[in-house]
Amino acid sequence: MNIRKMTAADEPVIVPMVYKFYESDAVDHPVPRENLRRTFHAAVEDGSLLDGYVLEDEDGVAGFAYLSAYYACEVGGVNMMLEEIYLRPEARGKGYGTEFLKWMERQFPEVRRFRLEVTESNGSAARLYEQHGYHFLGYRQMVKDV
């Protein structure tokens, strides 16, 4: 598998995958498509808060991932948030999720914590993450959209 930075030219392939991700059990609430398109553009145009990555195999684009980083006081350093990772159904079960997690940790050695979110209904993803050392925090998230 090859992992590369996402570019604007990837939009026709990636954005439909983003829509599929948000229609899956990986997300438990509706998100406006406008937000998803804005996110894609932020990942490829700005790059200061969000980076997009394309996962490719011999058949072409296998999936995508979004990463963002910020300082986290409780770990005394950089927290890398795996915002999203999606693999086409045909690309699942081939170890690409594992490859990406290992790549992410090698690519960002300065990171003190890697963090992600998983829905209760997405048990297979949770099991994969647990196999790679992730564990649940006891927090309940609260948000205020503005």
Side-chain angles (χ1 to χ4, degrees):
M1 183 181 69
N2 179 53
I3 300 168
R4 65 172 174 80
K5 289 279 273 210
M6 198 178 282
T7 69
D10 294 310
E11 185 172 3
V13 175
I14 298 300
V15 170
M17 286 185 183
V18 171
Y19 293 161
K20 287 183 188 295
F21 174 83
Y22 276 87
E23 294 164 359
S24 75
D25 64 355
V27 180
D28 64 2
H29 59 280
V31 176
R33 284 192 169 191
E34 172 189 320
N35 292 4
L36 306 179
R37 293 186 72 78
R38 190 168 50 239
T39 297
F40 173 84
H41 289 282
V44 300
E45 293 168 7
D46 181 12
S48 63
L49 295 175
L50 181 70
D51 286 315
Y53 296 91
V54 177
L55 291 64
E56 299 172 314
D57 65 10
E58 63 277 355
D59 296 324
V61 176
F64 75 91
Y66 287 136
L67 298 174
S68 63
Y70 57 91
Y71 191 93
C73 298
E74 69 184 66
V75 297
V78 175
N79 184 96
M80 175 71 67
M81 183 74 171
L82 175 53
E83 297 282 351
E84 297 174 11
I85 184 168
Y86 174 84
L87 293 168
R88 289 186 349 260
E90 307 81 33
R92 295 176 192 160
K94 296 182 176 183
Y96 296 161
T98 292
E99 277 189 61
F100 185 80
L101 293 174
K102 289 179 178 179
W103 172 88
M104 182 177 67
E105 290 179 18
R106 285 190 314 271
Q107 190 71 19
F108 302 100
E110 74 281 7
V111 169
R112 304 269 305 156
R113 174 181 280 168
F114 291 94
R115 189 171 181 160
L116 53 83
E117 296 175 346
V118 61
T119 59
E120 295 213 17
S121 61
N122 199 356
S124 60
R127 283 188 296 279
L128 170 71
Y129 302 138
E130 286 177 322
Q131 289 171 359
H132 291 279
Y134 289 78
H135 62 276
F136 287 98
L137 292 175
Y139 295 119
R140 291 178 51 201
Q141 290 194 14
M142 298 176 68
V143 299
K144 178 182 178 182
D145 294 329
V146 292

